[in-house]
Amino acid sequence: MRKYIVIITLLALTAVCQAQTGVKASLDTARILIGGQAHLVIEADVPRGAKVFFPNYTRTKPVAPGIEILKGSSSTAERSGRQLVRRTYTLTAWEAKRYTIPAQEIVVNGKADRTRSLVLEVRTIPVDTVRNTPMPPDDIQQVPFSWGEWLPVMLLGALALVLLGVAFCLYRILRNRKIGRKRQKHQRILSPYEKARLELEEIRARKRMYAEQKAYYTDVTLALRTYLAQRFGINALEMTSGDILESLDGQCSEADVARLREVFDTADLVKFAKYSTGENEMDFYLDSVVRFIERTKKEEIPAAVTGVDGGEEARDSRSRKVLRLAIGLLVAASVALLLYTASEAYALLM
């Protein structure tokens, strides 16, 4: 009978031991410097399958006033039918003093159990006032000039100026094209008579500038030959005087041909026989040519250039649009580069 009582007692004690729980709290260090870290570890030794609830601390809900919770983690380990549940909190503080961490309440299977309170001492960083003597503040240092910083800014500024120069050149081209079109619209084609009169008047105006009479008579006959080639359709520039007179036979009156023969004879004497004439003869010679041109001129309405054809007008319009677009883009890019360069230069100077 006594044997059975002992067995029953041992079984009861074993059950009680299996049902018992144990909780404890500890710090991995009791002293830290300001801003340092310590770890609060709470452990619960409970039967396998038991439900354990730890305090829920966050940054806004500290474990104690002045102590900040950085993070928390949990772990579980099993051994001989039981399990060790562990909760770790990483702590820090920013004021040097002694902090009391109150007893922590852990709930196991609906039953609360408490740990003991702990003390955490936060210290300031020690300063060696003997070796570490405070030094006065340094003077303001001038930043040395660096080509590596300024070279890109200078290159961008130069590029902006080059683009502005190209835009100005394109603007001049566009402007000259417009002026050329206006001049072309009002340009008129001179008749052979008008061309010859203009050339002869120019020769008369610079008569005293001729060093030799040969050059004077050569220019007058050249103007006359050009007029004859355009007026009568003959190759007067390549023909001899006699050939020209034969070609004009029947196209001009006999009196005009006779006067023209005198003109050519005088010119040939001066050019080939070194014949010399006076100033009055030179004027008479030029006047004879002018009278011949006046008598043989052909009345016609000179053609005038009033515009260009449709295809050329369309091509010119497209090219002007392209030039305007290119000028606008170049100016915009130049302004953007100049603004960026100015901002970078201001940042370097400041």
Side-chain angles (χ1 to χ4, degrees), residues 10 13 38 52 64 78 80 114 125 134 157 232-233 269 274 280 290 336:
L10 291 174
L13 290 174
V52 182
E78 297 183 358
S80 61
R114 298 177 68 84
I125 300 175
F232 297 100
L269 288 174
K274 296 182 180 181
N280 292 333
V290 171

Side-chain angles (χ1 to χ4, degrees), residues 58-250:
T58 61
R59 290 178 180 268
T60 58
K61 183 182 178 183
V63 66
I67 297 179
E68 182 179 347
I69 301 294
L70 298 180
K71 63 180 180 178
S73 61
S74 301
S75 63
T76 303
E78 297 183 358
R79 55 184 181 182
S80 61
R82 299 181 65 82
Q83 61 183 9
L84 180 64
V85 184
R86 179 181 297 167
R87 180 72 173 174
T88 303
Y89 302 94
T90 302
L91 314 178
T92 189
W94 303 97
E95 184 179 355
K97 68 176 186 178
R98 291 172 61 89
Y99 294 91
T100 299
I101 299 176
Q104 304 298 310
E105 184 176 281
I106 295 89
V107 178
V108 180
N109 290 331
K111 184 178 180 181
D113 198 354
R114 298 177 68 84
T115 66
R116 64 186 180 89
S117 60
L118 303 171
V119 176
L120 177 64
E121 184 178 357
V122 180
R123 298 180 177 181
T124 58
I125 300 175
V127 178
D128 189 348
T129 58
V130 177
R131 296 183 179 180
N132 300 324
T133 305
M135 301 296 292
D138 295 334
D139 295 334
I140 298 175
Q141 299 293 323
Q142 295 292 333
V143 179
F145 180 82
S146 175
W147 280 105
E149 295 178 347
W150 280 95
L151 186 59
V153 177
M154 294 179 180
L155 291 177
L156 288 177
L159 178 60
L161 295 179
V162 169
L163 293 180
L164 281 178
V166 174
F168 179 74
C169 293
L170 293 179
Y171 170 75
R172 291 292 300 273
I173 293 173
L174 180 63
R175 184 171 177 270
N176 292 336
R177 181 171 294 183
K178 289 182 179 179
I179 295 175
R181 279 185 60 81
K182 291 180 180 179
R183 290 177 178 174
Q184 184 182 16
K185 288 181 179 180
H186 295 87
Q187 183 181 4
R188 51 189 302 272
I189 300 176
L190 299 178
S191 65
Y193 163 74
E194 291 173 327
K195 290 180 182 179
R197 285 301 306 267
L198 287 176
E199 292 177 2
L200 293 173
E201 291 301 325
E202 290 178 0
I203 294 172
R204 187 191 300 275
R206 63 175 188 269
K207 181 182 67 172
R208 296 184 182 275
M209 299 175 61
Y210 286 97
E212 297 181 356
Q213 291 185 2
K214 179 179 179 180
Y216 172 79
Y217 283 97
T218 300
D219 287 348
V220 175
T221 54
L222 178 62
L224 175 60
R225 286 172 177 269
T226 303
Y227 168 76
L228 293 174
Q230 296 176 351
R231 169 65 178 82
F232 297 100
I234 61 177
N235 191 12
L237 296 175
E238 303 294 336
M239 299 170 65
T240 64
S241 301
D243 294 337
I244 293 174
L245 295 174
E246 291 180 5
S247 299
L248 294 178
D249 190 15

